[in-house]
Amino acid sequence: MKRLLFLLLLLASLVSCATAQDNTAPSRLPKHEFRGAWMHIIGQEQYARMTPDETRQYLINQLDLLQRANCNAVIWQIRPQADAAYKSDLEPWTRWLTGEPGKAPNPVWDPLQFMIEQTHSRGMELHAWINPYRVTSSEEDKPAPGHIYYEHPEWFLKYADGKLYFDPGLPECRDFIDTVVRDILVRYDIDALHMDDYFYPYPVTGVDFPDTTSYNLYGIGWDKNDWRRHNVDLLIEQLHGTIQEVKPWVRFGISPFGIWRNKASDPDGSDTNGLQCYDALYADCPKWTAEGWVDYMVPQLYWELEHKAASDLVLMHWWNDHANGRHMYYGQAVRNVMTHQDIADDGGNPSNPTQLDHKLRLQRALPDVHGVTWWPGYTITENFKGVLDSLETNQMSHPALIPAYTWLDDTAPHAVSDVKVKKVNGKKCLVWNIRKTDDPMQQAVRFVIYRFPKSRDAKFCVSGLDNADNILAITGETSFVLPDGDKGKWQYAVTALDRCWNESTPTWKK
């Protein structure tokens, strides 16, 4: 009997030691990882059917669900076709909000400001997503009354796809787009400016883009294809300069088509066989990070792992090797990820037959990849084939900090002070104070809450700050409602994050 009791005590001790080891060892999930979700409005007819109150509640529900999946950034479309999903004196209201080009919501409200407030309160980022050149979305679509098109029709071209575009070869067009971006930066507390893959339009077979007039004005002596790439380069460089001038903590991100060039066209290209954004869209994306004009890249890797022409296995490694010292986040199409079966001959997980787990494990193993962005966010929130359930309980089950943008700022903010538990509006909350500063780079804008068993000593808890399992929440508020059942069983630490995600030293609850 004594021997049995001894063995039971020994087993309990081993379990206790194992638990302690698990809580201090690095988490199976990364502590630092970008987890974004694109939320487009173009083609989303539901917004025009809603009242402003209904739209706001719908967006709150969307953000709550994305937060459940531990997403930490929302890429919100605010300028789908040279229009505005926000209050603007430069461009008309988008029809994708109200159903009619130029028609303001009634009563008027500002969706961009609302989304900034809602994401920030949750500790999430808001990336303002614009399309630079597109003006209409079909042959029948017309610019709204008051659009700059009617003042300067010479700035615009109609392509064979029936859509209107700014002429990328005209300096006046670049300057106008820059003015729109400057206006957004001055008036809104966005975290990043984001552009997708639509630069020059996707080509119609056998039909050249009709920019002969601007080429004759500005391109003589250039190869026409090089000139077009140069035009896009000039826009990217100009917007980078404006961001640095107005709000240098705001990041600039691009989500290009997933193939830069095929190896058959360029020895430095990927071992793929598909449309090339360098040649078809005139987007030399790796150049933009190499020059330091762009802070993060989100290549759209929407293919399955074993795709014959454009394998994600191939492209994940290629983009990792071309990060150029900037952040690299992989764009993944949820429907593709959740529909295709995993491939067992390359580390597939039989218990998770979709490619979700495999793709995330693969990109997390690559040294220069820093996160993922889901296309579209609506498929996460609708729990397509159980993706939300899976992310919430497995692949993204703990909050994560976005990796710091150290080339913009590498100084941590001041630590918070006076962390304590108190009742707020009848709820048990963790509260703290922050030190104010006039330096926007060092302002504490988000806070990380760590939780440990109260029985653990200080050394154990300090070592556990590097473990994502111990992150209870990330918030943009200076208080946090504690979970039911706390009852003094836990001890807490709070750190501050600045705009570039540098983290302060921890402050422990008194």
Side-chain angles (χ1 to χ4, degrees):
M1 185 65 181
K2 289 182 178 180
R3 179 176 177 82
L4 178 59
L5 181 60
F6 171 77
L7 290 174
L8 289 173
L9 289 172
L10 178 61
L11 178 61
S13 175
L14 290 174
V15 170
S16 176
C17 290
T19 302
Q21 181 64 32
D22 288 344
N23 285 341
T24 57
S27 171
R28 64 186 178 85
L29 297 178
K31 177 181 173 179
H32 298 90
E33 184 173 63
F34 184 92
R35 297 169 180 171
W38 280 292
M39 290 186 67
H40 59 299
I41 61 172
I42 191 169
Q44 296 294 300
E45 304 288 351
Q46 71 269 28
Y47 293 107
R49 297 193 297 266
M50 297 176 185
T51 66
D53 282 343
E54 290 170 338
T55 301
R56 286 189 288 269
Q57 188 56 56
Y58 174 78
L59 292 172
I60 287 171
N61 294 339
Q62 294 290 305
L63 294 176
D64 286 346
L65 290 167
L66 291 174
Q67 189 174 30
R68 265 183 54 192
N70 284 310
C71 290
N72 51 27
V74 173
I75 301 174
W76 170 243
Q77 192 173 38
I78 67 165
R79 186 183 185 260
Q81 45 189 85
D83 48 13
Y86 61 96
K87 293 180 180 178
S88 172
D89 293 330
L90 297 172
E91 294 182 308
W93 282 97
T94 178
R95 71 180 177 93
W96 297 107
L97 281 180
T98 62
E100 182 180 329
K103 181 182 177 181
N106 184 22
V108 175
W109 66 295
D110 194 325
L112 175 55
Q113 183 59 36
F114 178 80
M115 288 292 280
I116 290 170
E117 292 169 0
Q118 289 293 320
T119 52
H120 286 183
S121 70
R122 291 168 171 79
M124 303 165 78
E125 288 199 329
L126 192 286
H127 294 215
W129 169 14
I130 71 168
N131 183 278
Y133 300 127
R134 182 178 58 202
V135 180
T136 59
S137 57
S138 68
E139 182 76 47
E140 297 75 26
D141 196 8
K142 305 297 180 187
H147 196 281
I148 192 69
Y149 168 78
Y150 298 105
E151 184 178 348
H152 290 287
E154 72 279 8
W155 290 2
F156 299 88
L157 299 170
K158 178 174 279 192
Y159 186 43
D161 60 4
K163 301 174 187 177
L164 271 177
Y165 298 89
F166 281 95
D167 184 347
L170 294 178
E172 298 91 337
C173 293
R174 291 193 293 272
D175 289 343
F176 179 79
I177 296 166
D178 181 75
T179 298
V180 169
V181 168
R182 181 180 294 271
D183 175 63
I184 294 167
L185 291 167
V186 168
R187 295 193 296 119
Y188 294 97
D189 186 20
I190 64 172
D191 297 288
L193 181 78
H194 183 91
M195 298 198 310
D196 56 9
D197 53 322
Y198 291 100
F199 293 100
Y200 277 79
Y202 276 79
V204 175
T205 302
V207 184
D208 195 27
F209 188 69
D211 55 357
T212 300
T213 299
S214 55
Y215 176 71
N216 288 337
L217 281 172
Y218 299 106
I220 297 302
W222 284 81
D223 170 84
K224 197 170 192 179
N225 293 334
D226 289 340
W227 174 73
R228 288 172 174 168
R229 277 184 287 274
H230 178 64
N231 294 333
V232 181
D233 289 349
L234 288 174
L235 176 66
I236 300 299
E237 184 180 17
Q238 184 171 350
L239 295 182
H240 164 73
T242 296
I243 293 170
Q244 289 296 298
E245 174 194 341
V246 178
K247 287 183 178 175
W249 58 86
V250 171
R251 276 85 68 201
F252 189 14
I254 307 286
S255 57
F257 183 77
I259 299 173
W260 174 67
R261 301 198 86 188
N262 302 307
K263 192 178 287 291
S265 301
D266 190 313
D268 196 34
S270 53
D271 191 11
T272 51
N273 181 24
L275 182 139
Q276 306 167 115
C277 66
Y278 178 92
D279 300 274
L281 309 178
Y282 306 102
D284 192 1
C285 313
K287 177 180 179 179
W288 305 337
T289 47
E291 294 288 347
W293 300 335
V294 168
D295 299 296
Y296 70 80
M297 198 68 70
V298 194
Q300 298 173 18
L301 304 187
Y302 293 169
W303 300 279
E304 59 270 27
L305 291 165
E306 70 279 17
H307 194 284
K308 292 182 179 179
S311 164
D312 255 17
L313 283 173
V314 170
L315 287 165
M316 281 187 178
H317 285 88
W318 189 90
W319 283 101
N320 172 79
D321 295 341
H322 294 79
N324 296 323
R326 293 296 186 255
H327 283 186
M328 181 68 67
Y329 317 136
Y330 286 162
Q332 295 290 351
V334 174
R335 292 185 184 275
N336 178 295
V337 167
M338 299 303 293
T339 300
H340 287 93
Q341 295 288 302
D342 202 1
I343 50 176
D345 60 344
D346 194 20
N349 180 3
S351 67
N352 191 333
T354 74
Q355 295 194 355
L356 174 67
D357 192 70
H358 192 163
K359 285 190 174 184
L360 284 177
R361 285 187 290 108
L362 175 58
Q363 71 174 49
R364 285 168 176 166
L366 295 170
D368 294 311
V369 179
H370 307 88
V372 63
T373 302
W374 302 108
W375 169 257
Y378 303 106
T379 48
I380 299 289
T381 59
E382 72 184 31
N383 200 20
F384 178 77
K385 293 196 173 184
V387 64
L388 172 59
D389 294 336
S390 185
L391 293 176
E392 182 183 14
T393 60
N394 187 4
Q395 293 89 2
M396 290 174 15
S397 59
H398 296 289
L401 285 64
I402 293 176
Y405 296 85
T406 52
W407 57 91
L408 298 177
D409 172 42
D410 61 359
T411 303
H414 293 294
V416 305
S417 61
D418 200 22
V419 179
K420 57 188 176 184
V421 174
K422 63 181 292 188
K423 283 287 186 70
V424 178
N425 297 325
K427 295 182 178 180
K428 190 177 181 181
C429 294
L430 195 68
V431 299
W432 55 89
N433 295 321
I434 61 173
R435 186 189 299 186
K436 294 184 179 180
T437 175
D438 293 330
D439 182 355
M441 282 290 199
Q442 301 315 123
Q443 289 175 351
V445 295
R446 295 174 184 86
F447 308 93
V448 188
I449 302 159
Y450 297 88
R451 183 176 70 171
F452 301 90
K454 204 162 190 177
S455 59
R456 298 302 185 185
D457 60 27
K459 183 178 180 180
F460 175 93
C461 296
V462 169
S463 62
L465 292 170
D466 292 328
N467 189 332
D469 295 350
N470 298 317
I471 298 176
L472 178 61
I474 301 173
T475 179
E477 309 291 343
T478 54
S479 65
F480 179 78
V481 178
L482 293 173
D484 292 337
D486 177 83
K487 296 181 180 178
K489 295 187 299 184
W490 305 97
Q491 52 185 322
Y492 298 93
V494 178
T495 61
L497 299 168
D498 64 19
R499 295 178 182 275
C500 290
W501 291 82
N502 298 293
E503 187 177 16
S504 74
T505 55
T507 303
W508 297 86
K509 180 182 75 69
K510 293 180 179 179

